[in-house]
Structures are given as C-alpha cells and as structure tokens.
C-alpha cells in the first residue's frame, strides 16, 4: 500500500530479506562489474542482458545498500516481484536513484489528484520512464493542461492509465497548442483526451490537421476529432486495404472520401465488418451499395441487433407498396428505437405482423 506519510522508514533496509532479493554473490569473475552481478543474482538476467542494461542506462552503484533500499522502497509501496522485474528491465537506472527525492514526490502528486495505489503501481510498471520526467517542468504542467480541458481529476488520471507515457511526453503540450491555433474546439480536445489521449502524442500533428482541413473537415466540429482519430489510428497500409474493401463493392476513391467526410468513424470499422454489411445490403437485400456512401453511419451499427431486424420490416413495406421505392433507405436504420416503431411499424394496419417480424429477427441476434 502506498504510504506517503511514513517515507522516512524507507531509508532503511528491511532486516528480513525480501523474497525476491537473493544474497549478493561475490564470487563472480573479476571482469564482471558489481552492477552486472547484482542484476544477474537479484533479477535472473543473463550476463549479456545485464551487461547491456548497465552500459545502456549508465547504472552506477558500488555496494548493495543503494539498490536494496530502492527495491525496499518500491516493495513498501505495493510493487510485486514481477512488477519490479519488469520495471528494472525498462529502467535499471532506478537502482542508482534516491527514491525519496526522485520518486516519492511524484507518487505524492498523483495521490493528491485522486489516483489510487493501483493506478500508480500500474503507471510506473508500464512506464517507469515517467519517473525520469521532471515533476515541476513536465508532469505538473502537462497534468494541469489536460485538467483544464477535462475539468475532472479522475478523467485526467485516466490519461495516465490509457497511455502511461502521456505525462512524460513533451509532444502533448505542443500538439494541444497546435490544435488550438488551428481552431480546434476545446470540446474536441477534451474528447480526444478522454477517448484517445495517445493521439496527442503523435509527431505528425500539423501535417494531419492540414490534411483534414484540405478534405473539408471543420476543426470546430465534433467530426474533426473523430477524423483525426481515424487518421492516426489506422496506418497507411490498413487505410489502403479498407479503401480497397469499399471499392470491391463498386465505390470509387471519391466515394470513400465522401463517406469519410460524412461519417469519419467508417474508417475505424474493421474490413470484416465492412464486407459483412455490404454483403447483406447488396446480395441479400438487393439494394445499391452507393446508398451507403452518404449513409456510411450504418456501417457502425450492429448487423444482428439493428440492421437485419429493421431491414426485414423495410423490405416488407417496400414489397407491399407501403413505402415509396425512392424513399431513403438510410433513415429507417439511424433513427432511435421508439421513432422506428412509430414510423415503420405501429402506424400501419399490419402493425401486429410487422412487430412480430421485427421482434423475431431481433431475438435471433
């Protein structure tokens, strides 16, 4: 359990050996450094791995006192043997640090903002490099910047849980400033922070913002944040594969762009889902795939729970001449449930049959 009030005790070594600390062995070869031997005997690293970690991260200590005190500090703060192993693998330099001066203030800061003990353990285990960031110059300013948009300590702490490198990444502040300068609404920035804060760690933000503006996206609209998410989340190879999946159903490159502008979430849908919906729409219903260009929101809906049950009702209405052949095929699928019942079921004399047809297909989901 994290304890920020009894930190003086952490200066001392527990008189009872920790279960994961093997007694340091002194009979290593003369060519093996003290630090390398410590990593081998206390963490089970191979000589090659231990040597690489020490040389790459400039690990320095001459006795067991410093690294043992570090491990006792983290153990007293709730870190398990496995978590310590993973943490030291990524940041062996921690064994040389003064945890009271370098680590404890950061724990205290996150605790003061409402982070739980497990939040902090999870954060540091996944990304111990956050402990190398300056509390005053990096962590606090980034935290306060994110909090300014989210207005919630819980949501701000979740940024750490969603992306352990978030508060140590200098790109976050510069990318947020760039978005503001390009007219991105505060609500959009808050949405990005809450749903996909990793997006704010991209190194190509300016290029992506300009590309989306050239495509006609308005930075002040909610769709801009979704489009930015899609552009960053979907790599170029996968993007091309999704475009090709749409083109297989008769769309052109321009059609894909229109669909993306209409509903940018459509490029976050899997290729399998694209093909399943298109196959049902074209081959089973016999409808035109081009109708989905400006109705790409349908691709986001559940095939079993939404599209199929409602399609059965719409097909019946078209067959019986109760709905005009040139009426929108998209509207019946995007309206809320109550409105769908009012517009396409209960207003007709055949309402009992239509409701049964709808519910039977709904229950098959």
């Amino acid at each position: 359990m994290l304890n920020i009030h009894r930190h003086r005790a952490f200066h001392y070594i527990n008189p009872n050996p920790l279960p994961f600390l093997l007694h340091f062995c002194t009979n290593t070869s003369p060519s093996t450094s003290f630090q390398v031997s410590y990593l081998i005997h206390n963490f089970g690293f191979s000589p090659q791995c231990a040597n690489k970690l020490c040389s790459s991260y400039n690990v320095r200590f001459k006795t067991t006192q410093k690294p043992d005190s570090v491990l006792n500090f983290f153990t007293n703060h709730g870190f398990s043997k496995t978590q310590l192993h993973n943490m030291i693998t990524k940041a062996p330099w921690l064994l040389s640090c003064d945890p009271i001066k370098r680590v404890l203030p950061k724990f205290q800061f996150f605790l003061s903002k409402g982070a739980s003990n497990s939040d902090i353990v999870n954060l540091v285990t996944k990304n111990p490099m956050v402990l190398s960031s300056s509390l005053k110059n990096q962590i606090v300013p980034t935290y306060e910047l994110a909090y300014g948009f989210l207005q919630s300590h819980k949501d701000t702490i979740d940024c750490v849980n969603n992306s352990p490198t978030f508060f140590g990444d200098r790109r976050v502040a510069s990318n947020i400033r760039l978005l503001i300068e390009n007219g991105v609404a505060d609500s959009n920035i808050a949405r990005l922070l809450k749903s996909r804060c990793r997006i704010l760690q991209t190194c190509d933000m300016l290029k992506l913002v300009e590309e989306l503006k050239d495509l006609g996206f308005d930075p002040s609209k909610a769709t801009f944040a979704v489009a930015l998410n899609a552009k960053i989340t979907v790599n170029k190879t996968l993007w091309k594969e999704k475009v090709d999946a749409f083109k297989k159903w008769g769309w052109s490159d321009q059609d894909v762009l229109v669909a993306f502008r209409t509903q940018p979430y459509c490029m976050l849908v899997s290729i399998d889902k694209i093909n399943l919906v298109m196959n049902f729409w074209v081959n089973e219903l016999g409808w035109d795939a081009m109708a989905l260009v400006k109705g790409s929101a349908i691709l986001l809906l559940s095939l079993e729970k939404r599209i199929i049950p409602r399609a059965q009702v719409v097909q019946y209405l078209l067959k019986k001449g109760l709905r005009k052949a040139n009426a929108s095929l998209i509207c019946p699928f995007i309206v809320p449930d109550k409105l769908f019942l009012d517009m396409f079921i209960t207003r007709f004399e055949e309402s009992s049959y239509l409701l049964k047809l709808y519910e039977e297909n709904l229950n098959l989901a």
Side-chain angles (χ1 to χ4, degrees), residues 293-304:
V293 171
K294 292 188 177 181
S296 52
I298 287 181
L299 294 165
L300 281 61
L301 305 175
S302 168
L303 184 63
E304 295 80 9

Side-chain angles (χ1 to χ4, degrees), residues 42-336:
N42 286 277
F43 296 97
F45 293 122
S46 68
Q48 295 82 0
C49 179
N51 187 66
K52 183 177 181 180
L53 287 173
C54 287
S55 60
S56 299
Y57 291 92
N58 196 25
V59 179
R60 293 182 180 180
F61 48 83
K62 295 181 178 180
T63 70
T64 63
Q65 183 177 359
K66 173 66 73 174
D68 281 356
S69 67
V70 170
L71 294 176
N72 272 281
F73 172 88
F74 282 107
T75 299
N76 288 332
H77 282 75
F79 288 77
S80 69
K81 175 183 175 181
T82 300
Q83 289 168 329
L84 278 170
H85 183 280
N86 293 338
M87 186 172 68
I88 297 303
T89 300
K90 298 173 183 175
W93 56 267
L94 283 169
L95 294 172
S96 306
C97 82
D98 181 342
I100 304 305
K101 292 181 178 179
R102 192 162 189 179
V103 179
L104 185 62
K106 291 163 187 172
F107 284 6
Q108 292 172 324
F109 173 76
F110 286 118
L111 284 171
S112 73
K113 300 303 182 181
S116 66
N117 299 337
S118 60
D119 285 336
I120 295 175
V121 171
N122 180 58
L123 163 65
V124 175
T125 301
K126 287 183 177 180
N127 178 40
M129 292 305 293
V130 71
L131 298 177
S132 69
S133 300
S134 167
L135 179 63
K136 179 181 178 181
N137 298 324
Q138 184 62 36
I139 296 175
V140 172
T142 304
Y143 185 97
E144 297 300 337
L145 180 62
Y147 179 79
F149 290 98
L150 295 171
Q151 293 296 301
S152 162
H153 287 301
K154 180 182 181 302
D155 289 343
T156 307
I157 290 295
D158 281 344
C159 290
V160 187
N161 293 327
N162 295 332
S163 178
T165 60
F166 185 80
F167 289 121
D169 196 329
R170 295 182 182 276
R171 291 172 296 186
V172 172
S174 61
N175 281 336
I176 289 178
R177 284 195 296 270
L178 188 152
L179 292 176
I180 293 171
E181 290 167 1
N182 279 273
V184 177
D186 287 359
S187 57
N188 272 341
I189 295 175
R191 188 175 291 108
L192 290 172
L193 284 165
K194 197 167 185 177
S195 61
R196 295 287 295 191
C197 61
R198 284 188 179 91
I199 288 173
L200 296 168
Q201 295 176 258
T202 184
C203 57
D204 296 323
M205 184 64 77
L206 179 59
K207 177 182 176 182
L208 291 168
V209 168
E210 290 177 343
E211 180 182 348
L212 291 176
K213 289 168 75 174
D214 288 343
L215 288 174
F217 284 96
D218 183 346
S220 67
K221 304 296 183 183
T223 51
F224 187 89
V226 180
L228 187 61
N229 181 9
K231 274 292 183 180
I232 293 175
T233 304
V234 183
N235 62 49
K236 289 183 179 180
T237 300
L238 183 55
W239 188 279
K240 183 179 182 305
E241 289 174 354
K242 290 186 177 186
V243 170
D244 290 342
F246 284 121
K247 291 171 75 173
K248 187 180 76 172
W249 296 98
W251 287 17
S252 66
D253 288 318
Q254 184 60 33
D255 292 329
V256 176
L257 287 178
V258 170
F260 180 55
R261 281 197 296 264
T262 302
Q263 178 46 269
Y265 269 118
C266 72
M267 292 306 288
L268 292 168
V269 174
S270 71
I271 292 174
D272 285 344
K273 176 70 177 296
I274 292 170
N275 286 325
L276 282 171
V277 173
M278 285 293 200
N279 181 66
F280 178 74
W281 190 271
V282 176
N283 294 331
E284 296 191 36
L285 296 177
W287 295 346
D288 189 354
M290 299 306 293
L292 294 177
V293 171
K294 292 188 177 181
S296 52
I298 287 181
L299 294 165
L300 281 61
L301 305 175
S302 168
L303 184 63
E304 295 80 9
K305 297 179 180 180
R306 183 76 163 254
I307 299 175
I308 292 177
R310 293 193 181 192
Q312 302 308 315
V313 173
V314 175
Q315 266 201 322
Y316 178 87
L317 295 177
L318 289 169
K319 182 180 179 181
K320 296 296 183 178
L322 298 173
R323 184 167 175 77
K324 294 181 179 180
N326 62 351
S328 170
L329 289 174
I330 305 303
C331 175
F333 298 93
I334 61 175
V335 296

